[in-house]
Amino acid sequence: MSDRRFRATTAFQRHVANPLTRLMPFQTLLETTGRVSGRPRRTPLGGRRVGESFWLVSEFGTKSQYVRNIQADPRVRVRIGGRWHSGTAHLLPDDDPVARLRILPRGNSMAVKALGTQLLTIRVDLTD
């Protein structure tokens, strides 16, 4: 079931939700560098800035394409409130992602918990 859920969710996100939400000017976006293409890849997501860090939880952990891109090159950009910030992403497998979701935006957190099968916390240390 989890593999079917992963395939269905990622297909919907890739072909329907992400293309639409990327167009919204204040949607939070994570920009990674494609590990094969080397091209910028922008993923709409939810999370929260806390001080000089941006926190998020990936619903599919290392199966998510943007997480694989981070593993290949942790230098990222995050668009928060319409403004781009550079940073370095860190995968935090020892962090409790369910507890982390409690302090992140509620709507996105509910979707991540409902659809996710391999939750993984990610912290982006912002440099500007």
Side-chain angles (χ1 to χ4, degrees):
M1 175 62 175
S2 66
D3 190 50
R4 189 177 327 158
R5 182 186 309 169
F6 169 75
R7 286 193 322 264
T9 301
T10 56
F12 175 77
Q13 289 171 337
R14 184 175 297 128
H15 301 292
V16 179
N18 290 359
L20 293 174
T21 55
R22 267 194 291 265
L23 299 174
M24 300 169 74
F26 288 97
Q27 170 65 46
T28 301
L29 296 176
L30 176 70
E31 183 180 84
T32 59
T33 301
R35 64 191 178 283
V36 175
S37 70
R39 296 174 54 195
R41 300 295 181 200
R42 293 181 176 176
T43 304
L45 45 75
R48 173 166 285 145
R49 183 176 183 160
V50 179
E52 295 305 310
S53 296
F54 182 81
W55 292 85
L56 65 132
V57 175
S58 168
E59 66 254 76
F60 298 114
T62 56
K63 289 177 81 175
S64 295
Q65 297 301 313
Y66 71 89
V67 174
R68 290 179 179 192
N69 290 342
I70 288 169
Q71 288 176 313
D73 183 356
R75 293 171 299 165
V76 300
R77 293 192 324 148
V78 183
R79 187 175 77 180
I80 307 166
R83 183 168 174 257
W84 285 101
H85 304 272
S86 298
T88 303
H90 303 276
L91 307 181
L92 303 173
D94 294 331
D95 190 69
D96 181 351
V98 175
R100 183 69 54 193
L101 285 170
R102 290 188 199 111
I103 63 169
L104 297 179
R106 184 174 298 162
N108 182 73
S109 293
M110 288 173 39
V112 168
K113 278 194 274 190
L115 298 172
T117 58
Q118 297 176 351
L119 303 182
L120 175 65
T121 302
I122 300 168
R123 182 188 76 233
V124 177
D125 294 332
L126 304 172
T127 57
D128 63 359

